Amino acid sequence: MRDWIWENFSPDEMRCKGSGVLIVSDQFMDDLQLLRAEFSRPMFLTFACRSAIHNNSVGGHPRSLHVCDEPARPEQQGCLAVDVAVIDGSYRGHLVATAWRLGWSVGWNKTFIHLDRRDCVGLKQTTFDY
């Protein structure tokens, strides 16, 4: 990873909330920064990187793309997912549409939107709910 250059996201908000680990690829962060620029509104991350231990403790999927220190897929280079707090319906719709157009997979919940770059590990873009 090069020096931190992603102006809309701090290292602290990207770190695992349990362990403090931060493993992200430049490409993932470039994609996230582009999404934020196209979205043109603040994005409040509730989760980004997770250690395998923290992912397990919060009930995350065992093959979660949030896991950055022991990813389930050997080709995965760090965290490939973020969860974004939902502010209102128009925010949700605009974020989902923008993310989908830029190649992100999207999962939705009442309180957050999950965004990931599963295409980086050879999986097809998709949508799903929790």
Side-chain angles (χ1 to χ4, degrees):
M1 182 173 65
R2 63 184 180 235
D3 290 338
W4 198 266
I5 60 164
W6 302 281
E7 64 189 62
N8 293 110
F9 303 96
S10 72
D12 285 341
E13 72 184 315
M14 295 300 297
R15 289 183 197 287
C16 174
K17 294 182 183 330
S19 68
V21 69
L22 173 60
I23 305 170
V24 291
S25 71
D26 289 348
Q27 185 60 56
F28 177 75
M29 291 305 303
D30 289 347
D31 289 348
L32 187 59
Q33 184 62 48
L34 176 62
L35 172 60
R36 170 59 181 79
E38 293 284 322
F39 182 52
S40 299
R41 291 178 71 179
M43 293 171 59
F44 304 101
L45 304 185
T46 58
F47 274 113
C49 292
R50 291 184 191 157
S51 67
I53 292 170
H54 187 67
N55 187 63
N56 187 49
S57 75
V58 298
H61 191 281
R63 294 175 59 87
S64 172
L65 294 170
H66 287 282
V67 175
C68 61
D69 61 342
E70 298 176 26
R73 296 161 187 87
E75 64 276 21
Q76 184 176 335
Q77 301 296 311
C79 175
L80 292 177
V82 295
D83 293 341
V84 181
V86 172
I87 298 169
D88 59 40
S90 66
Y91 181 96
R92 176 190 299 271
H94 183 54
L95 178 57
V96 167
T98 304
W100 182 259
R101 181 173 50 80
L102 294 175
W104 291 79
S105 288
V106 179
W108 53 87
N109 179 287
K110 289 181 182 179
T111 61
F112 69 91
I113 298 292
H114 169 93
L115 303 171
D116 71 53
R117 292 309 309 238
R118 60 188 59 214
D119 58 311
C120 293
V121 293
L123 300 173
K124 291 183 181 180
Q125 183 183 25
T126 191
T127 61
F128 56 94
D129 64 355
Y130 289 88

